[in-house]
Amino acid sequence: MSLPSLKDALKTIPDGLRDPLIEEFEQALDEYRAADWEKVGLKAGKFCEIAYCICAGHATGTYAISPSKPGNFPQACRDLEQYNGAKGRSLCMQVPKALTALYELRNNRAIGHVSAEISANHMDAEFFLRGMKWVMGELVRNYSQLPLADSHAVVEAVTARTFQIVWSSGDVRRVLEPARTSGQKVLILLYAESKKVSAAQLQSWVDYKNGTDFRRKVLRDLHNKVLVNFDEIGGTVQILQTGQAHVEKSGLLVMKK
């Protein structure tokens, strides 16, 4: 028996709101898997506007035919609190508060704009994705008319951890794309760690047999390309901002289907 879909679980939400909501959510997942952090934020903004319309329809009893953007999003969400006594806290208070937080970060974090500061797009994308998953789980809990076990399965599937290219267990890391070159694997691993890593540790993770060649052919090459900083005396390697940008824009984090 196949797992019910989100569309099955949210069947009682009008099509004009349900279908765009699911579309934005699934596109955000695709952008996250492709490591396009800025687009995750853009999708999160549209997702919030549609989710608000659903919450407003639940609160007032009248659903919009299609999504629309409130003139003052935070105030519109606060206005739904007056309905929590009759319609419950989840969709009148808790979900709107979460949407407000997501929307604030989306609109006032310089997403999609050039900034002299260190990019926060990756960690923001993590917040957006988890926030959208939580909201979607709450919508399933409130709207699903499927059997309890099926509704639970949909919530579990929605909130499950998104697959990433780096596997970790304790102090061990592996890149789950064997076709990547050693240099590419080093960049992916350093990007995931976001801190200095010893050259010996990287060599072990990449499974490179010859330590001398690894330092000369892989680490020095990346250092000369100004993608990492290889401290040969200290024996540590750290990814540079140029290396981070290269990883994000070159598709190195995308898993092949």
Side-chain angles (χ1 to χ4, degrees), residues 97-111:
K97 286 180 183 297
L99 294 176
T100 300
L102 291 166
Y103 206 72
E104 161 64 23
L105 194 64
R106 157 64 186 92
N107 284 344
N108 297 299
R109 185 67 154 191
I111 289 176

Side-chain angles (χ1 to χ4, degrees), residues 191 239-250:
Y191 183 90
I239 195 167
L240 300 173
Q241 289 178 318
T242 46
Q244 292 174 342
H246 175 73
V247 170
E248 293 177 1
K249 295 177 180 179
S250 63

Side-chain angles (χ1 to χ4, degrees), residues 172-236:
V172 179
R173 306 284 186 272
R174 292 198 68 185
V175 175
L176 303 179
E177 278 286 6
R180 297 284 190 251
T181 67
S182 295
Q184 290 172 336
K185 289 179 181 179
V186 166
L187 287 174
I188 291 169
L189 291 163
L190 289 173
Y191 183 90
E193 292 296 302
S194 298
K195 61 183 180 182
K196 291 181 181 179
V197 178
S198 72
Q201 187 73 82
L202 280 171
Q203 180 188 341
S204 174
W205 290 347
V206 173
D207 198 22
Y208 203 104
K209 302 303 181 185
N210 189 304
T212 301
D213 282 350
F214 179 69
R215 287 165 173 76
R216 180 171 59 87
K217 296 180 178 180
V218 180
L219 298 184
R220 286 182 190 170
D221 179 61
L222 293 174
H223 180 91
N224 291 337
K225 292 177 178 176
V226 200
L227 297 175
V228 307
N229 181 63
F230 176 30
D231 180 354
E232 297 194 47
I233 296 176
T236 61

